[in-house]
Amino acid sequence: MMTITETGTDTKQFWLQERAALTGLPRGKGLNIAFEAVDRHVARRGEHIALRFRRKDRTSLDLTYSDLHRATNRFANALKRLGIGPSDVVATVLGRTPALFITAMGSLKNRSVFCPLFSAFGPEPIRERLRLGKARVVVTTEALYRKKIAPIIADLPDLRRVIYADGDFDGLLAAESDDFTIPPTSPEDPALLHFTSGTTGKPKGALHVHEAVVAHHATARLALDLRAEDRFWCTADPGWVTGTSYGIIAPLTHGVTTIVDEGEFDADRWYRLLQEEKVTVWYTAPTAVRMLMKAGREIVRNYDLSHLRFIASVGEPLNPQAVIWSNQVYGIPIHDNWWQTETGGIMIANIRGMEVRPGSMGRPLPGVEAAIVRHSDDRVEIISDPNVEGEIALRKGWPSMFRAYLGEEERYRKCFAGDWYLTGDLAKRDAGGYYWFVGRMDDVIKTSGHLIGPFEVESALLDHPAVAESAVIGKPDPVAGEIIKAFVALKPGFAASPELHDELLGFARKKLGAVVAPKEIAFLDALPKTGSEKIMRRLLKARELGLPEGDISTVKAS
Ligand code: AMP
């Protein structure tokens, strides 16, 4: 057996202590994320700014904890009036705006399940997710509705109500009382639904419960070094799990001021925000860091970043050069950390004060038992030797572990072997206990930090009348990590041409949205397949990278 930092009993004890650091619903009525994030601060820190929204035009809007308390109470009352109850799914297709945060917390107060969808998705990914989640309510804007939901509305029989953040949202809230008592909430009540992707099949709805807040709170303190007086900026979009766990929930539980940028990436805009908002803790992603590195070190001199005391990054491999660059240019390293939609919170991290080894994701947090394993069927063999490649496994029992893939018991069960959750990520652990990312075991693609399932992209291409077969891979890219590249074989009667190439790009973009659609398409006469007719994406990838095609089972993500 390898040595692990925490024994089973210690781990349990650790989480019990962390649970005790939270408040819990009054009169022992359970644990509710929204109470920990909002209501419990009102008495002592009601006038403290909870959220500062920086609009695209650089004006800003502040919501104090009391403002958020009242607005989320009103939203919870509105849901109740609409007949939306516990466990009903309330989805958002929204940018980083106040309505998104109010919907998240108001839904949790009502014990409904909050399901944020990335607003850059096209109609197809939105339809799949709203359908699978059986969403009852969706909060969006009029423009997003017209472009992305109107074309698919007929396929959403469970949807009862669309609320427009720039339409009836304010009126709906104004008509309600700002008084709301959160009903008793079991820590095991469902709270959050995050869709993620695998190699095959439909997107997977990872379901999290209210108890997850124990991990959100503890890991933000440990891995992001978050303290009540911080001014925190998480650059992730709340349409992905980081943007919810650490963009919405965790900072609120700590009572900090969160800066929310409604605009898109621009190096000057970002540095100005860090300066003007006196950001102290900044949680970002490797693609953004690489873009900042491209913008150069000169422009950094134009800004005062002296308030910044901690930088962390997640979502894809962080190049060692980025850590070194950060040390040189910002005067502090970037602390890489690792986790997944399924883990709900940070599991492995470089924490404050620990030696940062550039290129490593860090070590398991207290409360987290991680191992490098090999497994077959239900047997897990823990690899105790250092520097041996294997799968990252986590021992069950941390509070933010996903409790289900919605409606897919078998798929969920397959993620576990005995006591271990198998992550699907390959890594090595060095003699100091640091984890080094190697690659994914499946064919999912990480493009600009967004996890994309190849199957979803391939299916959309197959809807085009000219396409007989399609296969999608992640092609290494110096900035985005990977870009989506599709290979297609055409039906008889269709010929490859630059016009058809552009038409297919446009077709996929319209259906899937710019982030999910392929950036490159190549035509092939036929796609390589296994004996059982499975398309060999890995072979295509090996050819694309100019790697030997022999042992393709070892072809990994970049
Ligand atoms: P998601 O579920 O979308 O958050 O994606 C989770 C996946 O992103 C993980 O399983 C990894 O493959 C990848 N990932 C997350 N953090 C890191 C990291 N620090 N280094 C390398 N890959 C990462």
Side-chain angles (χ1 to χ4, degrees), residues 46 69 278 321 388 400 415:
H69 171 71
K278 301 186 170 46
Q321 299 88 321
V388 179
S400 61
C415 296

Side-chain angles (χ1 to χ4, degrees), residues 315-317 336-337 339-341 361 425 437 440 446 451:
E316 12 154 10
D336 190 17
N337 59 54
W339 60 291
Q340 311 177 302
T341 303
M361 310 189 290
D425 275 1
F437 186 76
R440 293 279 310 187
K446 264 277 164 131
L451 190 89

Side-chain angles (χ1 to χ4, degrees), residues 19-40:
R19 166 72 179 79
L22 295 176
T23 309
L25 285 173
R27 291 177 292 284
K29 295 278 170 60
L31 183 69
N32 185 297
I33 296 175
F35 185 85
E36 303 304 327
V38 183
D39 295 7
R40 73 171 176 143

Side-chain angles (χ1 to χ4, degrees), residues 94-96 100 117-120 234-244 264 450:
L94 279 176
R96 297 173 290 269
L100 178 83
L117 298 183
F118 190 35
S119 60
C234 170
T235 64
D237 191 280
W240 303 92
V241 72
T242 304
T244 305
E264 297 312 319
H450 307 311

